[in-house]
Amino acid sequence: MGTIATTTGPAPAPSRVQVLLRRMRDGDEIAHLITLIFGASILLVTAALVYELWPKVSSSLSFVIDLLAAVPSVIYGVLAIFLLEPLMRSTVQPFLKHTLGFLPIFTGPAYGFGFLTAGIVLAIMVVPFIISVSREVLMAVPQDQREASLGLGATKWETTYKVVVGYARTGILGSVFLSMARALGETMAVTMVIGNVPKVSASLFSPGYSIAAVIANEFAEASAGLHLSALIELGLVLFVLTFILNGLARVMIVATSRRGAGASR
């Protein structure tokens, strides 16, 4: 009976391309985590206050929000270069470094561009989209739920916060996931402000790279072989992540809409 020869030894060190792929993936995670924090916070305040507490303002604001959602991403990128980036470099980042510099995420030189700037730009871009979808989700909440809460003595704010938002939280979370899936594929605005440096640092002030940005910058010049294969793999990873987030978001939104339709019968 023959034997199978085996070799033991240290695992091969990751190649430079593998290291860069991990750094780009981590850069995407950092930028979109910042987007989620800023975007979700603004969403809850705007959707709850405008569409529930100030219904007379909602019709006018809805037109503005829908208009902002249709602005091309390159416009946001140009505005970020000329307006946001100088503000971050001269005011915001030095202030954060002075007040919260004991945290590793707020250390290092203030370049103006980087993960924090890219996250803020993405948050500004996706907020109109989140609010537009969340408006439909809040409208799916049965009116009986609001009237029952008010009839029991709750204030308008308590009804909005505890009843309406609580009833629609699954759909609101779905709108956040849907916007995150859209932000994952964002290319131009992120490329213009993230810095395009293939590294990941603990500081949000440092420049970085995202998956969509590296594909846009390097695909035209990629030679056949490992470089081209790595870019195609990045595109596949981006596609799978977007597909999963879109699927989860749609399921959550449809579940909330059907729940509201069933309760209103």
Side-chain angles (χ1 to χ4, degrees):
M1 180 181 293
T3 58
I4 300 176
T6 59
T7 59
T8 60
S15 65
R16 181 174 179 272
V17 174
Q18 291 174 325
V19 174
L20 292 179
L21 290 178
R22 294 173 186 172
R23 290 176 178 175
M24 293 164 199
R25 180 199 61 194
D26 294 340
D28 249 8
E29 293 173 354
I30 294 173
H32 291 96
L33 178 61
I34 299 171
T35 304
L36 177 62
I37 294 173
F38 281 98
S41 302
I42 300 174
L43 150 76
L44 291 176
V45 174
T46 305
L49 291 180
V50 174
Y51 296 109
E52 291 295 324
L53 301 182
W54 302 330
K56 295 182 180 179
V57 184
S58 62
S59 58
S60 302
L61 193 60
S62 298
F63 173 77
V64 177
I65 291 174
D66 293 338
L67 188 63
L68 289 175
V71 175
S73 62
V74 68
I75 303 299
Y76 285 102
V78 172
L79 292 176
I81 289 177
F82 289 103
L83 298 178
L84 181 60
E85 189 174 326
L87 179 65
M88 297 292 293
R89 181 176 61 251
S90 61
T91 305
V92 177
Q93 290 183 354
F95 173 76
L96 291 175
K97 184 177 181 180
H98 177 71
T99 56
L100 300 174
F102 58 91
L103 297 175
I105 59 175
F106 296 124
T107 57
Y111 295 110
F113 51 82
F115 291 115
L116 182 60
T117 306
I120 292 176
V121 172
L122 280 177
I124 295 174
M125 293 179 61
V126 302
V127 159
F129 186 73
I130 300 176
I131 294 176
S132 180
V133 177
S134 297
R135 177 186 60 195
E136 304 300 326
V137 173
L138 292 176
M139 291 175 61
V141 178
Q143 188 64 28
D144 295 342
Q145 299 287 328
R146 299 177 176 87
E147 294 175 353
S149 177
L150 294 173
L152 291 174
T155 63
K156 186 69 175 178
W157 168 250
E158 290 173 338
T159 300
T160 301
Y161 177 69
K162 296 182 179 180
V163 177
V164 178
V165 176
Y167 193 95
R169 62 179 178 270
T170 303
I172 293 175
L173 185 61
S175 68
V176 174
F177 283 165
L178 197 62
S179 67
M180 290 300 296
R182 183 179 181 183
L184 275 174
E186 184 51 52
T187 306
M188 289 305 301
V190 176
T191 305
M192 298 167 79
V193 298
I194 200 172
N196 300 324
V197 177
K199 69 175 183 179
V200 176
S201 174
S203 175
L204 298 180
F205 300 160
S206 63
Y209 227 163
S210 69
I211 295 178
V214 71
I215 294 175
N217 285 335
E218 299 186 15
F219 196 84
E221 302 176 357
S223 58
L226 185 58
H227 191 187
L228 183 60
S229 300
L231 294 179
I232 294 176
E233 180 185 354
L234 284 175
L236 179 62
V237 170
L238 193 63
F239 171 76
V240 172
L241 289 176
T242 306
F243 183 82
I244 293 174
L245 286 177
N246 269 306
L248 290 175
R250 292 297 180 184
V251 169
M252 291 180 177
I253 293 174
V254 170
T256 302
S257 300
R258 289 183 176 177
R259 182 184 175 191
S264 60
R265 291 177 182 176

